[in-house]
Amino acid sequence: MLDLTLAEIAEALQGELVLTDAAVAAGFSPDTIVNGTVDTDSRLIGVGDVFVAKRGEFDDGHRFVEPAVASGAVLVVVEHPFDVAVAQVVVPDSVLALGFFATEVVRRVRALGELKIVGITGSNGKTTTKNLLRAILERQGETVAPRDSFNNEVGAPLTMLKLTASSRYLVAEMGASGKGEITRLIRMAKPDIGVVLKVGLAHAGEFGGIETTLATKTEMVQDLEPGDVAVLNLDDTRVAGMAEKTAARVVWFGLSDAAAVRATDVDVTARGTSFVLHLPDGSSRPVRFAVLGQHHVMNALAAAAAAFELGVGIDDIVEALETVVRAERWRMEVMGGADGVTVINDAYNASPDSMAAALQTVAIIAAPGQRTTAVLGEMSELGPYATEEHDRIGRLVVRYNIHRLVVVGEGARAIHLAAEHEGSWGGEAVFVETADEAFDLIAADTLPGELILVKSSNSAGLRFLGDRIAQANSTTEVLP
């Protein structure tokens, strides 16, 4: 974080600086400079850091103020004062204060003149695209990007607060569960480049329908100015329509020949994906992309488009893309096993689009005679679309001729029923209630050379099942 005095922080947070007698005795004053990491997790607090006590759905961060101080916090942001020997800023709402804090830090770093901000949104692919763009940009200069999927009203500002005076790039992943949330994040850190990947049914239950999802994702480009850039997916008609909603210059990416940043000669194998990257300046280069699945080529194109607009040349873009060995932990993560068994663990998140893409990838990369198994769990947050979309996935399993389907959990039962009711399929469909039952079933009958996909939303917990299946067959390793 930037060097800021306690008085400056209190003003930015629109709060009251409180210094107890013990804090004053410990040497704290309004002029004390703070530059440590800011976090809402007391377990991550170290010497010199700032702890923000956030009220959550299941717990209250105020319970952890004293442990945070014991771990070395020099400032706590709280909604009521504590008797502690460190500085406090008391605010009405810790989450709102966190946003104010991020806004001020971004403003100050912007004023130094070097920072460029890229905002990324979409129903799928945000985290992968963020990771790919970070891999490209961190070779060019100091780059700040979120860990995991830190893309909401808490995670995004925590990422922004990692900026320093020497930061050159901020890659901000911007998610939302309702209208106005992306706008709020953009007003903390307005992008120079806004990237929209896809508009699909992910979180449709929370949004209230696909049209609300579209309106929410469009917020990414509506506030962009004529000197900014909107990087849009030409292959997604909903995203393409956003060109009419932005004042920014539009750069298209996709597989279409009309896209300025495009891929040709895409070849998906069990070892990754190869394609030829084409950029707007006419340059092209073959890419050997270790991340599995054609859908991740689109994420690579989006990252390449943003990087190109920031002045990065094709050689540097390709070299960086080829160093990325997986999209993210539990996202199309390929694990090698004994006797040629391969496990694809893609159970960190799931939507109808990403589930279909994962099944398609299995169908494409499976060798002749190789048995394929799909272990599928619930796709969460689909609301009224849940039964219809789970049913569609069950029918896709049949269409792609996956040999064995194991459906885990009541929320995914419609996948099992749809596959069983689909005719002319020689495969086997099994329903189990728990991940433990699924593990026992798979462990008892895994063939040499089998290809096993594990896919569900994070809430279904199957990512750990994928690890267990891989570990049961070998010492887990990510294939190069």
Side-chain angles (χ1 to χ4, degrees):
M1 192 182 77
L2 287 177
D3 290 351
L4 295 172
T5 68
L6 289 173
E8 288 172 328
I9 293 173
E11 181 179 2
L13 272 58
Q14 301 180 24
E16 177 188 0
L17 177 61
V18 174
L19 297 174
T20 63
D21 290 342
V24 172
F28 289 95
S29 76
D31 294 327
T32 298
I33 292 176
V34 176
N35 55 16
T37 298
V38 181
D39 216 303
T40 58
D41 188 339
S42 62
R43 296 167 297 183
L44 301 178
I45 295 297
V47 176
D49 289 346
V50 178
F51 175 62
V52 179
K54 176 182 71 71
R55 298 183 190 274
E57 183 178 357
F58 302 108
D59 211 338
D60 184 350
H62 291 81
R63 295 201 308 116
F64 304 99
V65 168
E66 291 184 356
V69 171
S71 295
V74 296
L75 170 63
V76 294
V77 179
V78 291
E79 294 176 4
H80 56 81
F82 283 76
D83 184 15
V84 290
V86 300
Q88 310 171 61
V89 174
V90 181
V91 297
D93 185 311
S94 295
V95 173
L96 288 179
L98 188 63
F100 296 151
F101 201 175
T103 302
E104 178 63 12
V105 167
V106 172
R107 184 192 69 79
R108 287 175 178 249
V109 178
R110 277 276 209 194
L112 298 175
E114 294 295 325
L115 183 67
K116 293 293 184 181
I117 299 175
V118 181
I120 301 171
T121 197
S123 298
N124 305 105
K126 293 184 294 297
T127 300
T128 300
T129 304
K130 172 260 298 183
N131 288 341
L132 296 174
L133 184 55
R134 174 173 55 193
I136 297 169
L137 294 181
E138 64 188 5
R139 294 166 171 241
Q140 309 299 314
E142 182 180 308
T143 301
V144 173
R147 69 175 190 259
D148 302 325
S149 295
F150 270 38
N151 59 27
N152 62 9
E153 62 182 357
V154 175
L158 286 177
T159 298
M160 297 170 194
L161 287 166
K162 295 183 184 299
L163 289 169
T164 71
S166 58
S167 296
R168 186 172 173 188
Y169 303 107
L170 169 64
V171 181
E173 184 180 337
M174 295 180 174
S177 57
K179 292 182 68 174
E181 292 186 13
I182 290 176
T183 296
R184 183 162 61 249
L185 297 178
I186 284 172
R187 288 174 182 171
M188 294 179 197
K190 190 189 77 63
D192 301 285
I193 299 175
V195 180
V196 186
L197 302 167
K198 190 174 183 64
V199 174
L201 284 173
H203 314 295
E206 290 185 332
F207 281 107
I210 192 68
E211 292 307 316
T212 306
T213 303
L214 173 59
T216 302
K217 300 303 183 185
T218 303
E219 293 172 14
M220 173 60 75
V221 300
Q222 283 178 320
D223 284 351
L224 296 182
E225 300 171 2
D228 299 328
V229 178
V231 174
L232 302 179
N233 181 353
L234 184 58
D235 297 348
D236 185 310
T237 55
R238 294 188 180 96
V239 176
M242 294 180 188
E244 300 174 358
K245 305 288 187 180
T246 185
R249 176 169 58 87
V250 173
V251 174
W252 300 108
F253 72 92
L255 301 181
S256 167
D257 288 343
V261 179
R262 67 188 188 280
T264 59
D265 303 313
V266 178
D267 183 30
V268 181
T269 72
R271 293 278 172 172
T273 309
S274 63
F275 62 95
V276 177
L277 172 65
H278 302 265
L279 294 182
D281 61 359
S283 61
S284 63
R285 275 276 307 272
V287 181
R288 294 181 59 84
F289 194 41
V291 180
L292 186 64
Q294 179 170 301
H295 53 301
H296 285 309
V297 172
M298 296 296 287
N299 299 329
L301 292 177
F308 177 80
E309 290 300 321
L310 291 170
V312 184
I314 193 167
D315 290 340
D316 288 338
I317 291 172
V318 171
E319 185 176 341
L321 290 176
E322 292 187 335
T323 66
V324 179
V325 298
R326 64 183 180 192
E328 178 75 45
R329 182 77 167 100
W330 299 308
R331 285 179 168 90
M332 294 301 283
E333 184 174 11
V334 182
M335 299 174 171
D339 298 323
V341 173
T342 299
V343 176
I344 302 174
N345 194 349
D346 192 24
Y348 188 85
N349 212 342
S351 68
D353 289 332
S354 67
M355 187 78 83
L359 290 170
Q360 180 188 50
T361 298
V362 170
I364 290 172
I365 69 175
Q370 182 180 26
R371 184 164 80 161
T372 54
T373 294
V375 184
L376 306 182
E378 181 179 10
M379 300 178 289
S380 63
E381 301 175 354
L382 291 178
Y385 303 95
T387 299
E388 175 187 348
E389 291 302 320
H390 284 88
D391 180 278
R392 184 172 72 87
I393 293 302
R395 297 181 191 281
L396 276 178
V397 171
V398 176
R399 173 185 165 189
Y400 287 130
N401 199 28
I402 306 298
H403 298 112
R404 181 170 56 157
L405 169 66
V406 179
V407 178
V408 186
E410 189 62 37
R413 186 184 285 271
I415 297 176
H416 174 250
L417 295 175
E420 280 203 322
H421 292 159
E422 193 77 358
S424 67
W425 180 49
E428 172 192 11
V430 181
F431 174 81
V432 296
E433 293 281 358
T434 68
D436 287 340
E437 291 177 83
F439 175 77
D440 292 341
L441 182 68
I442 297 296
D445 182 23
T446 299
L447 299 181
E450 187 164 348
L451 176 59
I452 303 172
L453 168 70
V454 182
K455 177 74 174 168
S456 74
S457 286
N458 195 6
S459 59
L462 298 197
R463 61 195 187 280
F464 303 116
L465 172 62
D467 289 345
R468 289 178 67 193
I469 293 171
Q471 290 162 1
N473 285 281
S474 74
T475 301
T476 303
E477 60 174 340
V478 178
L479 294 175

